[in-house]
Amino acid sequence: RVSEIILDYTWEKLNIGTWRDVDKDWRRVYSYGCLFKVLCMCNEQDATADTIRVCDMGLLMGASILDNILVKVINVLQKPVIKSEEIIPLLHCPSLEHFRDNHMTPQKPVVLEGIVDHWSCMKKWSVDYLRQIAGCRTVPVEVGSRYTDEEWSQTLMTINDFIDQYIVTKFQNNIGYLAQHQLFDQIPELKQDICIPDYCSLGEGEEDDITINAWFGPEGTISPLHQDPQQNFLVQVIGRKYIWLCSPQESENLYPHETQLLHNTSQVDVEEPDLVKFPKFEQVKFQACILTPGQVLFIPVKYWHYVRSLDVSFSVSFWWS
């Protein structure tokens, strides 16, 4: 009630004349009113969208307060909530034997820390560095928020153009993704900054059989729930990703597409599931994590996984048998 009084009173002050004549202090008071209202709304169930709208009104009509706290509140509200029982376990530099016996053989996901700290990319790579090392190079880019959307397409452009159109420009639904299997062969300077994880030596294939992939895109990029035919080490270099995993034993509850082309992809939107259309999805047992720079996620073969970038993100994945 107090926050509404503050907002009503300051709204009148913001609208008494031309915008340039509005005292900035009144704009700050309006932002405080939005902050107080948001703190009250955080206790309400299913109010996230309305709460973010109040924050946006404070950012549009108010002025920055408390080190731009309304932006930070939005980031918290948009961060996925992961219950403790659903968190993927985390290990620091396990031995090859420990990883093999406890995760690879039983096919259990795990987040590994401390195994890529020595990689040059962890210190060198940034958007500016990618411009410098490869800005003029032409690469394939996926256009659209996810490959299951009708408007999804592919095109060729330079890395500079990709960064300008999809990384620097932050229009909603303006999503492009650099998903490249040949990037490190095409640009060997980048390949010199990474290494094949030692744990891949536990596999059956040769080093030449390991596929190295680059995944570079803006906040909000989504890989729909899908499964791959090989083991996967996903290394996070820049930014954070929210990742949702579940066992291949859950396949029946995930409603894979019936077409041959998308048979490895679920029809369910993980974060906004239609439980009327896909009722079995409610029974699914899953694990999740927020993968941060320097962390490596082991995704066992055919494990279902959904990925959403929380920031501008660059990841490297290693597919191995």
Side-chain angles (χ1 to χ4, degrees):
R1 198 160 56 243
V2 171
S3 66
E4 291 288 4
I5 292 171
I6 295 172
L7 290 172
D8 289 344
Y9 188 81
T10 51
W11 185 258
E12 292 181 11
K13 296 292 184 181
L14 299 183
N15 288 278
I16 56 173
T18 59
W19 184 246
R20 68 173 177 271
D21 295 328
V22 175
D23 192 316
K24 196 169 184 179
D25 284 337
W26 283 121
R27 293 176 58 196
R28 290 193 183 96
V29 175
Y30 182 80
S31 292
Y32 274 105
C34 290
L35 177 61
F36 299 153
K37 184 173 181 178
V38 161
L39 294 176
C40 297
M41 294 174 71
C42 283
N43 293 321
E44 300 174 12
Q45 204 168 15
D46 300 324
T48 301
D50 290 336
T51 308
I52 290 174
R53 189 185 67 80
V54 173
C55 288
D56 281 331
M57 288 301 296
L59 293 170
L60 290 168
M61 302 299 293
S64 177
I65 57 170
L66 302 178
D67 195 21
N68 222 7
I69 193 171
L70 291 175
V71 171
K72 297 177 182 178
V73 171
I74 290 175
N75 289 336
V76 170
L77 291 170
Q78 290 185 320
K79 183 177 178 180
V81 177
I82 303 173
K83 298 176 183 177
S84 58
E85 65 270 21
E86 298 163 349
I87 294 175
I88 298 170
L90 187 149
L91 289 176
H92 184 82
C93 293
S95 67
L96 293 180
E97 293 78 10
H98 182 92
F99 172 76
R100 180 194 62 206
D101 296 343
N102 294 277
H103 296 281
M104 187 181 114
T105 300
Q107 292 287 274
K108 292 183 177 180
V110 64
V111 175
L112 304 176
E113 283 191 324
I115 69 170
V116 299
D117 294 350
H118 62 288
W119 287 13
S120 300
C121 65
M122 300 310 302
K123 295 180 180 177
K124 290 167 62 175
W125 286 10
S126 65
V127 172
D128 288 341
Y129 180 74
L130 292 171
R131 281 192 190 275
Q132 174 189 334
I133 206 76
C136 63
R137 306 297 296 275
T138 299
V139 294
V141 170
E142 299 178 1
V143 180
S145 60
R146 59 189 83 193
Y147 64 76
T148 50
D149 292 347
E150 288 186 10
E151 67 272 16
W152 182 86
S153 63
Q154 293 176 300
T155 188
L156 293 173
M157 63 174 62
T158 67
I159 288 179
N160 273 337
D161 286 344
F162 170 72
I163 291 172
D164 289 338
Q165 291 185 39
Y166 298 108
I167 303 297
V168 177
T169 305
K170 297 182 179 179
F171 294 127
Q172 191 175 12
N173 299 323
N174 183 33
I175 299 290
Y177 202 37
L178 194 164
Q180 245 271 39
H181 303 315
Q182 293 87 26
L183 185 70
F184 296 109
D185 293 327
Q186 185 181 352
I187 306 170
E189 295 93 335
L190 293 175
K191 192 171 185 178
Q192 294 170 6
D193 293 336
I194 63 175
C195 306
I196 293 175
D198 292 341
Y199 303 95
C200 291
S201 65
L202 298 169
E204 298 173 352
E206 301 295 327
E207 185 171 306
D208 290 343
D209 298 327
I210 297 170
T211 302
I212 307 175
N213 310 288
W215 311 97
F216 177 41
E219 174 188 346
T221 308
I222 289 173
S223 293
L225 184 61
H226 68 284
Q227 56 181 183
D228 296 316
Q230 289 184 294
Q231 317 267 32
N232 183 1
F233 280 120
L234 180 63
V235 183
Q236 194 63 21
V237 182
I238 297 172
R240 303 165 301 150
K241 281 184 169 174
Y242 169 64
I243 304 175
W244 188 102
L245 294 176
C246 71
S247 165
Q249 296 175 355
E250 297 278 7
S251 295
E252 183 183 342
N253 299 326
L254 299 178
Y255 302 89
H257 285 271
E258 295 178 0
T259 63
Q260 184 61 30
L261 184 64
L262 292 174
H263 72 280
N264 70 328
T265 303
S266 169
Q267 300 177 63
V268 183
D269 183 336
V270 165
E271 296 193 78
E272 296 183 5
D274 183 342
L275 297 178
V276 174
K277 190 175 181 181
F278 308 115
K280 293 181 183 177
F281 184 76
E282 198 166 16
Q283 307 168 17
V284 172
K285 295 181 180 178
F286 68 92
Q287 293 177 288
C289 70
I290 294 176
L291 202 66
T292 60
Q295 292 185 331
V296 181
L297 174 62
F298 170 58
I299 304 174
V301 59
K302 291 199 173 178
Y303 238 78
W304 292 89
H305 50 290
Y306 164 91
V307 184
R308 175 164 61 88
S309 297
L310 301 178
D311 311 296
V312 171
S313 168
F314 199 121
S315 310
V316 180
S317 63
F318 298 84
W319 290 347
W320 54 289
S321 299

